Amino acid sequence: FISLGSDIILTSSIRVSDISNLTINGGDFQLNGQLRSTCFKISNSKEIIISNLGFINGYSNISGGAVSIDKGSEVSFFNCIFANSTTTENGGGISLEGISIFVNCTMQQNIAVMGGGISVTGGEATLSNCLIQSNVLREYSSRTGSRGNDHLDTHLGGGVYLKDAIAAIYDTAVSKNTANNGACILSNHSLLVMTRSTCTQNEATFLGGGMYLTHSTNATITASFVYENTATRGGGLFISSFSAVTLDDSSIQSNVAFAGGVSIKLHSHLSILNSSVNNNEESDEGGGGILSHQSVVDIFNTEIGDNIASTYGGGVYIGDGSEATLNGTLLFGNLADYG
């Protein structure tokens, strides 16, 4: 058992390796990386419990600005803060390849190329009652020769980035993050469960102001709110490439995009149950509420209202190669030039 009695100014990373059954109580103090090194690196260690500790001002030219957790490690965090940290790779706050639980934690004002708040690649994450806020994605000269945000295949997952991962998110707020794609959450070939959580005021340059769910992602979103996000396509959700998404008792509201409050493409399947898709706005391709191409959309006991499209389908636009089923669904107050 380790208990901190003061803040610690780091000149290099603290490393935990090949350890089992370690508990650290930070006493509400902080590890400060001075923007020189990752604060904490964990490898091949299990039953690690860390509470009441801040990880701030970390820096890494590999993944993990504040904290890095390698494959094979199992770590639980309670009442911790991951903030003001930077990486030129993945995970401005946290890079996770192992298994971790985060309870009452905050990930904010971090900078990365992918996963501003947290990046989970090949690992498993459970987040409960957390705040993921104001994280930014940025390109670095070591990767592209210049800084900027004009790369469609980078800047993925402003708040959360998942690749080949499993993630369960409960009672968590993800807000005011920025990315090219998936400003709130980007999930690539992953399993995502999101319950009683919010995705709000995130901004994507291209796809998925709220969430970008792609490459056979399987996502279940329950009792959650996705609202006031912006993107070029899919202001609230962008779903593509053989992904399957279920929305249950959730709200997609007041999102803005050139195409679709919810945009679903490329042989994907969206099921909406007992939910609402309201007050979304698009200005180019159609589908103020929902836009579908080459996909299947099933909508049951849902209201779709007061959405605006500049071209086709104020509420729902079912495009080429798509199928749709609507049952017990109310459409009202939607506006479009056609339909």
PDB file of all heavy atoms in Angstrom, residues 299-314:
ATOM      1  N   ILE A 299     -37.257   0.889 -37.237  1.00  0.00           N
ATOM      2  CA  ILE A 299     -37.644   1.918 -36.280  1.00  0.00           C
ATOM      3  C   ILE A 299     -38.970   1.527 -35.638  1.00  0.00           C
ATOM      4  O   ILE A 299     -39.973   1.347 -36.334  1.00  0.00           O
ATOM      5  CB  ILE A 299     -37.773   3.294 -36.970  1.00  0.00           C
ATOM      6  CG1 ILE A 299     -36.494   3.644 -37.737  1.00  0.00           C
ATOM      7  CG2 ILE A 299     -38.079   4.374 -35.947  1.00  0.00           C
ATOM      8  CD1 ILE A 299     -36.608   4.889 -38.594  1.00  0.00           C
ATOM      9  N   PHE A 300     -38.983   1.396 -34.306  1.00  0.00           N
ATOM     10  CA  PHE A 300     -40.166   0.971 -33.583  1.00  0.00           C
ATOM     11  C   PHE A 300     -40.467   1.934 -32.433  1.00  0.00           C
ATOM     12  O   PHE A 300     -39.576   2.287 -31.659  1.00  0.00           O
ATOM     13  CB  PHE A 300     -39.980  -0.439 -33.020  1.00  0.00           C
ATOM     14  CG  PHE A 300     -39.692  -1.482 -34.062  1.00  0.00           C
ATOM     15  CD1 PHE A 300     -38.388  -1.869 -34.321  1.00  0.00           C
ATOM     16  CD2 PHE A 300     -40.716  -2.057 -34.800  1.00  0.00           C
ATOM     17  CE1 PHE A 300     -38.113  -2.828 -35.287  1.00  0.00           C
ATOM     18  CE2 PHE A 300     -40.454  -3.012 -35.758  1.00  0.00           C
ATOM     19  CZ  PHE A 300     -39.149  -3.404 -36.010  1.00  0.00           C
ATOM     20  N   ASN A 301     -41.728   2.350 -32.335  1.00  0.00           N
ATOM     21  CA  ASN A 301     -42.197   3.139 -31.191  1.00  0.00           C
ATOM     22  C   ASN A 301     -41.296   4.350 -30.921  1.00  0.00           C
ATOM     23  O   ASN A 301     -40.882   4.608 -29.791  1.00  0.00           O
ATOM     24  CB  ASN A 301     -42.282   2.261 -29.941  1.00  0.00           C
ATOM     25  CG  ASN A 301     -43.197   1.074 -30.143  1.00  0.00           C
ATOM     26  OD1 ASN A 301     -44.258   1.183 -30.749  1.00  0.00           O
ATOM     27  ND2 ASN A 301     -42.766  -0.085 -29.659  1.00  0.00           N
ATOM     28  N   THR A 302     -41.031   5.069 -31.970  1.00  0.00           N
ATOM     29  CA  THR A 302     -40.090   6.195 -31.911  1.00  0.00           C
ATOM     30  C   THR A 302     -40.745   7.434 -32.509  1.00  0.00           C
ATOM     31  O   THR A 302     -41.592   7.333 -33.402  1.00  0.00           O
ATOM     32  CB  THR A 302     -38.800   5.819 -32.671  1.00  0.00           C
ATOM     33  OG1 THR A 302     -38.099   4.837 -31.913  1.00  0.00           O
ATOM     34  CG2 THR A 302     -37.897   7.016 -32.897  1.00  0.00           C
ATOM     35  N   GLU A 303     -40.371   8.602 -32.016  1.00  0.00           N
ATOM     36  CA  GLU A 303     -40.837   9.841 -32.630  1.00  0.00           C
ATOM     37  C   GLU A 303     -39.690  10.507 -33.382  1.00  0.00           C
ATOM     38  O   GLU A 303     -38.554  10.571 -32.907  1.00  0.00           O
ATOM     39  CB  GLU A 303     -41.424  10.798 -31.600  1.00  0.00           C
ATOM     40  CG  GLU A 303     -40.476  11.328 -30.559  1.00  0.00           C
ATOM     41  CD  GLU A 303     -41.134  12.388 -29.678  1.00  0.00           C
ATOM     42  OE1 GLU A 303     -42.321  12.222 -29.327  1.00  0.00           O
ATOM     43  OE2 GLU A 303     -40.442  13.363 -29.347  1.00  0.00           O
ATOM     44  N   ILE A 304     -40.025  10.985 -34.593  1.00  0.00           N
ATOM     45  CA  ILE A 304     -39.059  11.658 -35.457  1.00  0.00           C
ATOM     46  C   ILE A 304     -39.695  12.979 -35.849  1.00  0.00           C
ATOM     47  O   ILE A 304     -40.619  13.021 -36.670  1.00  0.00           O
ATOM     48  CB  ILE A 304     -38.728  10.805 -36.702  1.00  0.00           C
ATOM     49  CG1 ILE A 304     -38.180   9.434 -36.271  1.00  0.00           C
ATOM     50  CG2 ILE A 304     -37.731  11.531 -37.601  1.00  0.00           C
ATOM     51  CD1 ILE A 304     -38.010   8.458 -37.415  1.00  0.00           C
ATOM     52  N   GLY A 305     -39.232  14.076 -35.232  1.00  0.00           N
ATOM     53  CA  GLY A 305     -39.947  15.324 -35.421  1.00  0.00           C
ATOM     54  C   GLY A 305     -39.073  16.556 -35.489  1.00  0.00           C
ATOM     55  O   GLY A 305     -37.969  16.595 -34.938  1.00  0.00           O
ATOM     56  N   ASP A 306     -39.591  17.544 -36.229  1.00  0.00           N
ATOM     57  CA  ASP A 306     -38.990  18.877 -36.307  1.00  0.00           C
ATOM     58  C   ASP A 306     -37.558  18.848 -36.820  1.00  0.00           C
ATOM     59  O   ASP A 306     -36.731  19.679 -36.432  1.00  0.00           O
ATOM     60  CB  ASP A 306     -39.046  19.560 -34.937  1.00  0.00           C
ATOM     61  CG  ASP A 306     -40.478  19.781 -34.460  1.00  0.00           C
ATOM     62  OD1 ASP A 306     -41.326  20.127 -35.299  1.00  0.00           O
ATOM     63  OD2 ASP A 306     -40.737  19.576 -33.262  1.00  0.00           O
ATOM     64  N   ASN A 307     -37.272  17.876 -37.691  1.00  0.00           N
ATOM     65  CA  ASN A 307     -35.970  17.841 -38.355  1.00  0.00           C
ATOM     66  C   ASN A 307     -36.059  18.609 -39.674  1.00  0.00           C
ATOM     67  O   ASN A 307     -37.133  18.729 -40.268  1.00  0.00           O
ATOM     68  CB  ASN A 307     -35.550  16.393 -38.616  1.00  0.00           C
ATOM     69  CG  ASN A 307     -35.464  15.585 -37.332  1.00  0.00           C
ATOM     70  OD1 ASN A 307     -34.530  15.729 -36.564  1.00  0.00           O
ATOM     71  ND2 ASN A 307     -36.471  14.723 -37.102  1.00  0.00           N
ATOM     72  N   ILE A 308     -34.928  19.096 -40.155  1.00  0.00           N
ATOM     73  CA  ILE A 308     -34.902  19.921 -41.363  1.00  0.00           C
ATOM     74  C   ILE A 308     -33.866  19.371 -42.335  1.00  0.00           C
ATOM     75  O   ILE A 308     -32.710  19.120 -41.962  1.00  0.00           O
ATOM     76  CB  ILE A 308     -34.557  21.383 -41.031  1.00  0.00           C
ATOM     77  CG1 ILE A 308     -35.619  21.973 -40.101  1.00  0.00           C
ATOM     78  CG2 ILE A 308     -34.445  22.219 -42.305  1.00  0.00           C
ATOM     79  CD1 ILE A 308     -35.267  23.371 -39.609  1.00  0.00           C
ATOM     80  N   ALA A 309     -34.290  19.204 -43.594  1.00  0.00           N
ATOM     81  CA  ALA A 309     -33.380  18.816 -44.672  1.00  0.00           C
ATOM     82  C   ALA A 309     -33.501  19.822 -45.807  1.00  0.00           C
ATOM     83  O   ALA A 309     -34.608  20.265 -46.131  1.00  0.00           O
ATOM     84  CB  ALA A 309     -33.702  17.416 -45.179  1.00  0.00           C
ATOM     85  N   SER A 310     -32.388  20.168 -46.405  1.00  0.00           N
ATOM     86  CA  SER A 310     -32.440  21.149 -47.494  1.00  0.00           C
ATOM     87  C   SER A 310     -32.871  20.519 -48.804  1.00  0.00           C
ATOM     88  O   SER A 310     -33.289  21.224 -49.730  1.00  0.00           O
ATOM     89  CB  SER A 310     -31.057  21.790 -47.673  1.00  0.00           C
ATOM     90  OG  SER A 310     -30.119  20.814 -48.079  1.00  0.00           O
ATOM     91  N   THR A 311     -32.775  19.181 -48.899  1.00  0.00           N
ATOM     92  CA  THR A 311     -33.151  18.512 -50.150  1.00  0.00           C
ATOM     93  C   THR A 311     -34.260  17.493 -49.898  1.00  0.00           C
ATOM     94  O   THR A 311     -35.428  17.823 -49.925  1.00  0.00           O
ATOM     95  CB  THR A 311     -31.921  17.848 -50.792  1.00  0.00           C
ATOM     96  OG1 THR A 311     -31.282  16.987 -49.826  1.00  0.00           O
ATOM     97  CG2 THR A 311     -30.920  18.891 -51.255  1.00  0.00           C
ATOM     98  N   TYR A 312     -33.880  16.229 -49.613  1.00  0.00           N
ATOM     99  CA  TYR A 312     -34.851  15.145 -49.502  1.00  0.00           C
ATOM    100  C   TYR A 312     -34.983  14.659 -48.056  1.00  0.00           C
ATOM    101  O   TYR A 312     -34.012  14.577 -47.322  1.00  0.00           O
ATOM    102  CB  TYR A 312     -34.416  13.957 -50.366  1.00  0.00           C
ATOM    103  CG  TYR A 312     -34.328  14.255 -51.838  1.00  0.00           C
ATOM    104  CD1 TYR A 312     -33.134  14.671 -52.410  1.00  0.00           C
ATOM    105  CD2 TYR A 312     -35.449  14.112 -52.662  1.00  0.00           C
ATOM    106  CE1 TYR A 312     -33.043  14.939 -53.763  1.00  0.00           C
ATOM    107  CE2 TYR A 312     -35.375  14.382 -54.026  1.00  0.00           C
ATOM    108  CZ  TYR A 312     -34.161  14.799 -54.568  1.00  0.00           C
ATOM    109  OH  TYR A 312     -34.084  15.068 -55.906  1.00  0.00           O
ATOM    110  N   GLY A 313     -36.220  14.283 -47.685  1.00  0.00           N
ATOM    111  CA  GLY A 313     -36.445  13.571 -46.443  1.00  0.00           C
ATOM    112  C   GLY A 313     -36.185  14.374 -45.201  1.00  0.00           C
ATOM    113  O   GLY A 313     -35.160  14.207 -44.550  1.00  0.00           O
ATOM    114  N   GLY A 314     -37.116  15.230 -44.830  1.00  0.00           N
ATOM    115  CA  GLY A 314     -36.940  16.013 -43.611  1.00  0.00           C
ATOM    116  C   GLY A 314     -36.774  15.138 -42.386  1.00  0.00           C
ATOM    117  O   GLY A 314     -35.914  15.375 -41.538  1.00  0.00           O
TER     118      GLY A 314
END
